[in-house]
Amino acid sequence: MDPVTESSNDIVEIESKWYFAICLAIAALIGIFTWNNPPSPNLLGIEVLATILILFLFGSIRYRIDKNAITYGALPIIFVTFFPLWWPQSQLREEMSREGGAALWRAIRENLLSIDGLEKLIHGDTMLFILGLTFFVSVISQTRLLEAVSMNLLRIFEGRVLATVLTIAGLVSFASGILDGVSMIGLTIRVLVIILVMARIRHEGIEFIIMISVILTTVCGMWLAYGEPPNLIMKSNLSLPDTFFLKYALPMAVVTFLIVSQFISGWLKGAMIPLDELDVLEKNIADVRFHQAARKGEVKEIEDMFKEYAGRFGEKKAAVDALYHEGHHPISAMIRAKVDEETVNAFIGDFLGEAFVAPVKSYYHHRKQRGSPGERELELREAGVIERLLEDTRVQRNAAQRWGKLAFIPFLGLLFWHARNHDVPLFISSIAAFSFALLGILAHTKMRKLALREATHEYKEYLFLFPLFLSITMLTAVGFFDQLKAAIERGVDLLGPAHVAVIQFLGSGLLSAVLDNNVVADFASRAIHGMPDMFLFAAAQIAGYAAGGSLTHIGSAQSVVAFAYILRYVDPSFTPLGWIKAMWRLVVIISIALIVILYIKALLVGSVPG
């Protein structure tokens, strides 16, 4: 069988079994040559680094390998190198020589069958917390809470786009410190795009604000540990208290938000959305999306549906596209372009259901003629019919949102308990919140399945991390990080802690621009454990991987989500170089500001040489 498969978008998928076969062959060779002659721990470090670089390489070029295959395939190579380094001096070997199988069973029970043991090996408690958080946020998203809040803000600010977007940005920044930033960015982008399209902002502005959402959910969201997986990894590795994040990361998050606000203002200053010009489906976007999820178990993006039906527009396609890009709702654009009635009916029925076909079509016909006598009254009458059809949906949505809001009580309460007593597992807070929020959509079978399906798909993106975390634990066990720690200590003696902190900031930023920031956080934090200036160095690394992860389209999970959205819905020709060109100035300004804060923090804690 051909080891590669050509996909429709010119990506060549390399079959995982061939990669696994190569990895097993390499593992066998290493085992043969090193079993009686253990290698240097540096070889283990090279293997882990090579795995990370392969992840980057075969996730960026035309030839692709599944990232789970890369990390799980590399694990035999890393283990075969690790075992002869670790086993001869291991405590387990001594215990087994005295106690036999009882010692082995005790080691398995302590390390593989307990949360504390799994936390040390693969960040088990942290990853279970992220699992619950992913499902919790997925359920909250189905209640359309963010859409409802956004439309209410738009009304409060009387259609002023800048005030609305900045308030949403502030709420997202705050929420990203507590909730999963990866989930938050998906919700944020969709809501912001709705507002930006209604305000008729240019495509370049929409693209840039989508990219800014990455900074809102990473750098601005780093003020607390619980929202970002890399922050949780740092907290676990270094036993950082929550007060550390409030003292060190919160000021950097606030300053970053102020800088981002200035860039947003440049695009949105003076932009207005005349609220009386919004059509009835835009005004009730939260109910429309809740209705779609409950009815069909999916929320179809209107742009996707528009593309699906484009082939049925015939010679009217150019006119429909032109009207749509002028800001008309797709249904309005089809009616104004005089697309055949069968296609319009099918579109509305697919989008909302058969009961909506007549009133929606009539509404947009009257809206088209609103300048004529009596048409405005007829338009309002049909709008009322549509809103009455959505009334049951609104009641159900409000009930689901109440359950979602109440779910924050056990979530925050158990987080606080964990912060006071670390014997309480972290993951029970997110699992409890998910279970509570799920009650709000339990009666909506299709919506419930949608939430679980989306959460499962999202969490699968984290599975490749487990072998990497285990590999870094192996590096720790053989003393690899002692060498890095010694290098940092020499740097401190030579340059002083403040300058070394800035070097760590820059190094973490550059690494996170091209590598997964979860791995960067786990790897880099191991070398500073127990140091006198550990808090300062930890703050530098956190700020570095948050800022650096925003610079490229692959620097963080949020960047990947945002880049994919731009390609799909805004500009199919958008390139990774275009991302860097758009973001470099903002990232540089943020980086300079964060470096200044690091020096100030170093001065305050006495880490600047006199």
Side-chain angles (χ1 to χ4, degrees), residues 384-395:
V385 172
I386 294 168
E387 290 186 335
R388 282 193 292 275
L389 286 172
L390 289 169
E391 190 170 342
D392 286 344
T393 296
R394 187 174 302 112
V395 171

Side-chain angles (χ1 to χ4, degrees), residues 575-597:
T575 65
L577 183 59
W579 179 291
I580 295 172
K581 285 182 177 178
M583 289 291 282
W584 75 267
R585 183 167 170 262
L586 174 57
V587 172
V588 166
I589 292 173
I590 289 172
S591 298
I592 292 170
L594 297 183
I595 288 171
V596 171
I597 294 174

Side-chain angles (χ1 to χ4, degrees), residues 490-512:
R490 287 195 297 272
V492 170
D493 292 338
L494 182 64
L495 302 173
H499 297 320
V500 171
V502 171
I503 292 171
Q504 290 189 59
F505 168 83
L506 296 172
S508 296
L510 291 173
L511 284 174
S512 292

Side-chain angles (χ1 to χ4, degrees), residues 365-421:
H365 272 298
H366 293 307
R367 187 174 175 84
K368 176 185 174 184
Q369 305 293 333
R370 62 165 37 182
S372 304
E375 291 295 332
R376 178 60 174 166
E377 289 75 13
L378 293 171
E379 176 191 339
L380 294 175
R381 185 193 68 187
E382 296 298 341
V385 172
I386 294 168
E387 290 186 335
R388 282 193 292 275
L389 286 172
L390 289 169
E391 190 170 342
D392 286 344
T393 296
R394 187 174 302 112
V395 171
Q396 295 168 6
R397 176 178 60 80
N398 288 333
Q401 286 181 358
R402 280 192 292 272
W403 281 102
K405 293 171 186 176
L406 288 172
F408 280 93
I409 296 174
F411 178 63
L412 296 175
L414 290 168
L415 272 185
F416 181 74
W417 189 16
H418 168 79
R420 297 293 299 271
N421 180 7

Side-chain angles (χ1 to χ4, degrees), residues 19-20 23 47-48 50-56 65-79 460-471 516 519:
Y19 180 82
F20 273 114
C23 288
E47 290 169 353
V48 175
T51 304
I52 297 170
L53 291 175
I54 290 170
L55 270 174
F56 166 67
I65 303 175
D66 179 77
K67 60 185 180 181
N68 287 327
I70 291 174
T71 57
Y72 287 92
L75 198 55
I77 299 174
I78 294 168
F79 184 77
K460 284 180 179 178
E461 295 299 309
Y462 289 107
L463 296 181
F464 80 101
L465 291 172
F466 287 104
L468 288 175
F469 291 154
L470 182 58
S471 300
D516 184 86
V519 179

Side-chain angles (χ1 to χ4, degrees), residues 88-127:
Q89 291 83 32
S90 72
Q91 183 179 349
L92 178 60
R93 182 184 181 185
E94 292 182 11
E95 292 175 349
M96 287 185 67
S97 66
R98 295 193 306 266
E99 305 174 39
L104 178 61
W105 168 243
R106 185 172 61 250
I108 292 172
R109 188 176 66 248
E110 291 176 355
N111 292 289
L112 299 179
L113 302 179
S114 72
I115 291 298
D116 287 340
L118 288 173
E119 179 66 13
K120 293 174 183 176
L121 285 177
I122 54 170
H123 297 289
D125 189 23
T126 299
M127 296 305 288

